[in-house]
Amino acid sequence: RHRTQNPRPGPSPAAPYPESPAGARWGMRGSEGAGLARASPCHAGAALPALQSAPPIGMESHRIEDDQILASSMLRHGLGAQRGRLNMQAGSNEDDFFDGAWCAEDDTRAHWIEVDTRRTTKFTGVITQGRDSQIHDDFVTAFYVGFSNDSQNWVMYSNGYEEMLFHGNVDKDTPVLTEFPEPVVARFIRMYPQIWNGSLCMRLEVLGCPLSTVSSYYSQQNEVTSTDNLDFRHHSYKDMRQLMKVVNEECPSITRIYNIGKSSRGLKIYAMEISDKPGEHELGEPEFRYTAGLHGNEVLGRELLLLLMQFLCKEYQDGNPRVRSLVTETRIHLVPSLNPDGYEIASQAGSELGNWALGHWNEEGYDIFENFPDLASVLWAAEERKWVPHRVPNHHIPIPEHYLAEDAHVAVEVRAILAWMEKTPFVLGANFHGGEKLVSYPYDMARPPREGEGEATPDHAIFRWLAISYASAHLTMTETFRGGCHTQDMTNGMGIISGAKWHPRVGSLNDFSYLHTNCLELSVYLGCDKFPHASELQQEWENNKESLLTFMEQVHRGIKGVVTDQQGDPIANATIIVGGINHNMKTASSGDYWRILNPGEYRVVARAEGYNPSVKTCTVLYDIGATQCNFILSRSNWKRIREIMAMNGNRPIRRIPPGRPMTPQERMRLRQRMRQRMRLRQQMRQRMLNATTTGAPPHTGPHHLPPLRLQQHHLCPLEPAAAHRCHLGDRDLHRAGDRDGAGDGAGDGG
């Protein structure tokens, strides 16, 4: 963390911040929370104490629009003034229209970059940064600052004797905070670079408190004030744990705190369950999850989930029917921080002063989101060999053995998440990120190009429905006329995109969840600023509140039911097959299942080992509420069939589905089997005829032929011994021949 502090002309009074009204209910207790729930430095009546800057005006978060940023010149179009935002990232090709800074066209000291706040603002400082580039090493080391109310007449910041030269960066990546000795009230602010390394390039953020209403009608529409009495501030690990404890004490009947494992440093990964019967899976009730903090420096999701816990508790107690319905019909799991180690690193630098990657990885250096088993490659390789679904299933693909080895390169946090996912039958989930504003859905891995096959999952239409349900309810996510955070809008105005088309990656949590479990998982990117200032949390909560509730409600869309046998006992791991969607689901240990589907009519099949399949037609409506579709399976005789096959060398019994035409090979094999059966029958008849001829008396002429009688379509002689042989089966002919003597004797005696 770098800070430039210039000498002050005189001491400045420092008044303590007034307590937040939320602190009375959700704040810390006793000395542990003293002084933590504070108002913004721009709060009315609050003075700015020493070393306490105002919040950012919105360069990084894009609250400052492109037409509010001007510059004296630009090196080329991809290095214009609009690229001069803090933490702006260059595109994959640095020579395109999306480079990583503002750069002047030449190396003279007359160049400047200007920001119009469109309101009277008390400026307290700036944060500067060099150019994002893999090739160039450009950054500004010293600059002047000017102010204006009309953009025509400028006053340079001075110390009373001369223009004050502020010191800037020492490298291109690390943000540097420069605080003004005394705040300046104006509308416009300009930076005049004087000394730089490499080319004249920079990125920046401006700190200031608005003193008047905004001049733009459109910007004024985004000024939202929350009416929810919640704790709008950043929470350390200790604060997070304490807040979850307070919520649990406020609503003990619907909340439960547990941990899913530990981080590399040994910090517990806490989760909160919200349900009418916490700690218990209720039959037919779907399991839902929100997770955040896989990347420790992307902190907005962490705070949104802490706010959501408070909101659900408060609204449930106040009798909000929508919240009560969610809590009683859904088992909700909220995990605010899956990478607590990374957050602790990022929070040390604080908002705006951590670079793009500080705290992104866990303690061991793993990107947790991309450290899951790559099952997409397994599935696609099997599909190329035509092994799906006979040898390799299209769902619940097993984890490769090498990944489960003790010496495998797997993060501790990922192992904890895997165990959590195996234990709980999740149906729907979302994980929160930062640095962009959109919703991403599987696949995240780009599939090798093949004719007639794309990167879409079998549930592509369902994933798009789920993604739109969040993006469309968000207050600003679909306002793509501003473009993307770093490049052009990749979502075609929808605010949603397939991960493979936007940012391909291997081994993501979303792909693994889809291919190994029943859970449909999406990624929500909450905004351009990974670590927004605490003063922005209230606005961000209002932006996302409706989306958070709407997305949870989607878990009740589609079909659900229970698969049992004829005695009513549940059948676990039964397969649920939906016609037209080449991706199946399995029942939980209690026999219940959930299948999220778009509105329509579906042919659904339930299969289980040792049972006959059952088929039903299920209709999904547009209204929220899953269609009940139960199945009762009867025992099959496949166990006996397998025993018979084992006795005959386990030769397979080919079954031709009814209604499907036979192939030429199948038709030829059928003819061969029929001919073989005919030959066997002829041989049996011949043996029977030979046996009859051998047992008859010597031929003495026509007058001595024994009388014949017609019986069972065979001509059998009336002589007892011959008739006895005629009526015996082929397998008893030899035994009958051995008893001929005894039989004849008995006949004579009779």
Side-chain angles (χ1 to χ4, degrees):
R1 176 171 177 170
H2 298 267
R3 184 189 304 274
T4 300
Q5 183 69 31
N6 291 277
R8 296 177 180 271
S12 174
Y17 299 158
E19 288 288 343
S20 167
R25 180 169 188 171
W26 300 114
M28 303 299 103
R29 296 181 175 180
S31 60
E32 184 177 16
L36 291 178
R38 303 299 188 186
S40 165
C42 295
H43 190 277
L48 293 175
L51 302 182
Q52 178 63 47
S53 295
I57 64 172
M59 290 281 285
E60 182 179 6
S61 64
H62 286 240
R63 292 200 312 275
I64 295 294
E65 299 178 3
D66 285 350
D67 59 357
Q68 294 178 251
I69 311 173
L70 299 175
S72 56
S73 66
M74 61 181 177
L75 184 60
R76 54 180 174 81
H77 187 71
L79 294 165
Q82 294 74 24
R83 306 298 297 173
R85 302 174 184 272
L86 187 71
N87 284 319
M88 177 63 71
Q89 300 297 294
S92 56
N93 181 5
E94 294 190 17
D95 294 328
D96 60 12
F97 291 157
F98 306 101
D99 216 322
W102 161 69
C103 294
E105 66 176 343
D106 55 46
D107 290 340
T108 63
R109 295 179 178 177
H111 295 291
W112 47 263
I113 182 170
E114 167 190 320
V115 181
D116 176 13
T117 62
R118 290 180 177 167
R119 68 175 86 189
T120 303
T121 303
K122 181 194 292 185
F123 295 104
T124 64
V126 294
I127 300 174
T128 58
Q129 195 177 28
R131 178 179 178 180
D132 177 53
S133 173
Q134 299 294 328
I135 305 171
H136 307 282
D137 192 27
D138 305 331
F139 54 91
V140 173
T141 60
F143 56 90
Y144 292 127
V145 181
F147 302 91
S148 175
N149 287 319
D150 57 8
S151 77
Q152 301 297 321
N153 302 303
W154 292 87
V155 176
M156 305 300 291
Y157 197 98
S158 68
N159 58 9
Y161 304 99
E162 60 181 356
E163 296 176 354
M164 184 173 290
L165 184 68
F166 295 96
H167 298 289
N169 300 86
V170 296
D171 61 56
K172 63 183 180 182
D173 294 321
T174 306
V176 172
L177 169 64
T178 299
E179 293 182 311
F180 304 143
E182 291 294 336
V184 177
V185 177
R187 171 175 169 175
F188 299 86
I189 183 172
R190 268 188 188 178
M191 309 281 290
Y192 297 87
Q194 298 299 301
I195 307 173
W196 53 86
N197 183 81
S199 300
L200 200 171
C201 301
M202 71 183 308
R203 295 175 284 173
L204 74 151
E205 178 64 88
V206 179
L207 308 179
C209 296
L211 300 182
S212 64
T213 57
V214 71
S215 301
S216 169
Y217 168 79
Y218 295 101
S219 297
Q220 192 172 5
Q221 303 310 301
N222 293 330
E223 299 294 324
V224 178
T225 301
S226 177
T227 59
D228 297 320
N229 186 25
L230 308 176
D231 188 12
F232 295 103
R233 63 186 178 91
H234 287 294
H235 296 77
S236 66
Y237 180 80
K238 187 177 181 180
D239 298 336
M240 176 189 72
R241 183 179 58 187
Q242 180 64 22
L243 177 61
M244 295 174 70
K245 181 180 178 182
V246 171
V247 174
N248 177 244
E249 292 174 353
E250 288 284 342
C251 299
S253 63
I254 63 169
T255 61
R256 178 178 72 97
I257 301 174
Y258 66 100
N259 73 83
I260 67 173
K262 293 184 178 181
S263 68
S264 301
R265 289 186 179 180
L267 298 178
K268 291 182 179 179
I269 303 175
Y270 285 106
M272 174 167 282
E273 176 191 343
I274 302 178
S275 175
D276 58 336
K277 294 183 179 179
E280 175 185 347
H281 172 74
E282 299 180 62
L283 186 68
E285 185 171 281
E287 308 258 359
F288 177 91
R289 70 172 180 245
Y290 271 141
T291 57
L294 288 110
H295 301 144
N297 61 337
E298 299 168 6
V299 305
L300 180 55
R302 171 194 183 105
E303 300 306 328
L304 287 179
L305 292 190
L306 293 176
L307 292 169
L308 182 61
M309 294 175 191
Q310 304 169 48
F311 178 80
L312 293 177
C313 172
K314 177 180 178 298
E315 294 300 309
Y316 184 88
Q317 290 182 330
D318 292 345
N320 185 323
R322 185 182 186 187
V323 172
R324 279 189 166 269
S325 176
L326 266 175
V327 172
T328 56
E329 297 177 6
T330 318
R331 194 181 182 200
I332 304 168
H333 302 259
L334 307 178
V335 185
S337 184
L338 285 172
N339 183 8
D341 298 345
Y343 177 84
E344 293 303 305
I345 295 173
S347 62
Q348 291 176 4
S351 173
E352 317 304 328
L353 292 179
N355 61 30
W356 191 252
L358 184 65
H360 181 89
W361 298 277
N362 76 336
E363 179 72 12
E364 301 172 297
Y366 292 110
D367 185 326
I368 295 178
F369 183 71
E370 301 179 21
N371 193 225
F372 288 83
D374 174 20
L375 301 183
S377 296
V378 176
L379 175 65
W380 296 339
E383 288 179 344
E384 291 180 359
R385 293 172 172 82
K386 308 298 183 183
W387 288 355
V388 179
H390 307 291
R391 297 179 61 179
V392 176
N394 61 15
H395 63 105
H396 287 79
I397 300 174
I399 300 175
E401 294 183 3
H402 67 82
Y403 186 89
L404 299 174
E406 293 184 1
D407 58 346
H409 297 287
V410 182
V412 174
E413 295 86 351
V414 172
R415 294 185 186 273
I417 297 170
L418 292 177
W420 182 49
M421 294 170 68
E422 294 286 351
K423 181 180 178 181
T424 311
F426 291 110
V427 181
L428 179 62
N431 47 80
F432 294 112
H433 301 265
E436 191 55 80
K437 188 182 290 186
L438 51 83
V439 180
S440 169
Y441 54 86
Y443 288 118
D444 286 327
M445 182 177 176
R447 183 168 189 168
R450 285 189 62 194
E451 184 178 355
E453 294 185 358
E455 298 166 342
T457 66
D459 287 290
H460 180 71
I462 300 168
F463 274 122
R464 285 183 60 85
W465 177 292
L466 295 172
I468 289 174
S469 71
Y470 194 100
S472 61
H474 193 280
L475 295 187
T476 62
M477 189 168 287
T478 55
E479 292 181 358
T480 55
F481 59 86
R482 294 188 175 94
C485 292
H486 306 282
T487 60
Q488 77 272 24
D489 173 37
M490 301 288 292
T491 69
N492 295 324
M494 299 289 290
I496 68 171
I497 192 171
S498 165
K501 290 184 178 180
W502 170 57
H503 182 47
R505 61 189 82 189
V506 178
S508 74
L509 168 60
N510 295 349
D511 288 358
F512 172 79
S513 179
Y514 179 63
L515 295 176
H516 184 71
T517 72
N518 289 334
C519 184
L520 304 184
E521 182 97 1
L522 293 84
S523 293
V524 180
Y525 291 79
L526 296 167
C528 304
D529 192 349
K530 288 185 174 183
F531 203 137
H533 193 271
S535 62
E536 301 173 44
L537 295 179
Q538 190 172 356
Q539 171 79 56
E540 293 295 346
W541 166 249
E542 290 300 320
N543 288 344
N544 289 275
K545 180 171 67 174
E546 179 61 30
S547 297
L548 291 168
L549 299 176
T550 300
F551 188 78
M552 281 194 290
E553 291 170 338
Q554 303 309 305
V555 76
H556 296 286
R557 184 176 299 282
I559 60 174
K560 67 176 182 179
V562 183
V563 180
T564 60
D565 60 16
Q566 291 177 316
Q567 285 71 42
D569 297 325
I571 302 176
N573 293 322
T575 303
I576 305 298
I577 306 169
V578 178
I581 301 177
N582 190 28
H583 184 81
N584 305 334
M585 299 290 181
K586 284 191 175 183
T587 57
S589 58
S590 51
D592 47 353
Y593 76 92
W594 307 263
R595 184 58 162 102
I596 299 178
L597 295 170
N598 284 340
E601 189 174 87
Y602 299 90
R603 183 177 183 269
V604 185
V605 182
R607 294 180 180 274
E609 184 76 16
Y611 294 88
N612 293 315
S614 177
V615 182
K616 282 189 176 182
T617 299
C618 305
T619 302
V620 178
L621 304 177
Y622 280 89
D623 297 333
I624 291 293
T627 302
Q628 194 77 25
C629 213
N630 298 327
F631 293 90
I632 300 176
L633 305 186
S634 60
R635 288 280 183 180
S636 70
N637 58 354
W638 276 104
K639 183 177 180 180
R640 175 58 181 163
I641 292 174
R642 289 191 179 90
E643 292 176 355
I644 296 174
M645 290 176 61
M647 294 172 59
N648 290 272
N650 284 325
R651 288 188 295 271
I653 300 176
R654 294 187 60 84
R655 176 181 178 272
I656 301 175
R660 182 175 69 82
M662 289 189 296
T663 64
Q665 293 82 0
E666 292 173 340
R667 190 177 294 108
M668 183 177 64
R669 285 195 294 267
L670 179 61
R671 290 174 179 172
Q672 291 175 350
R673 287 197 297 269
M674 295 300 295
R675 294 193 189 102
Q676 179 68 14
R677 291 176 184 174
M678 291 179 64
R679 285 196 296 270
L680 291 175
R681 290 171 182 168
Q682 290 176 356
Q683 291 174 5
M684 181 178 292
R685 289 172 183 169
Q686 187 64 37
R687 286 197 298 269
M688 292 174 62
L689 182 60
N690 293 340
T692 303
T693 305
T694 303
H699 177 67
T700 57
H703 299 287
H704 298 278
L705 287 175
L708 299 177
R709 65 181 178 181
L710 188 66
Q711 180 173 340
Q712 294 182 354
H713 306 289
H714 294 286
L715 295 177
C716 296
L718 292 177
E719 187 174 352
H724 181 64
R725 293 190 186 95
C726 182
H727 295 153
L728 284 175
D730 181 61
R731 61 181 178 179
D732 295 328
L733 288 177
H734 295 290
R735 280 190 301 174
D738 294 340
R739 294 196 302 267
D740 277 349
D744 292 343
D748 293 342

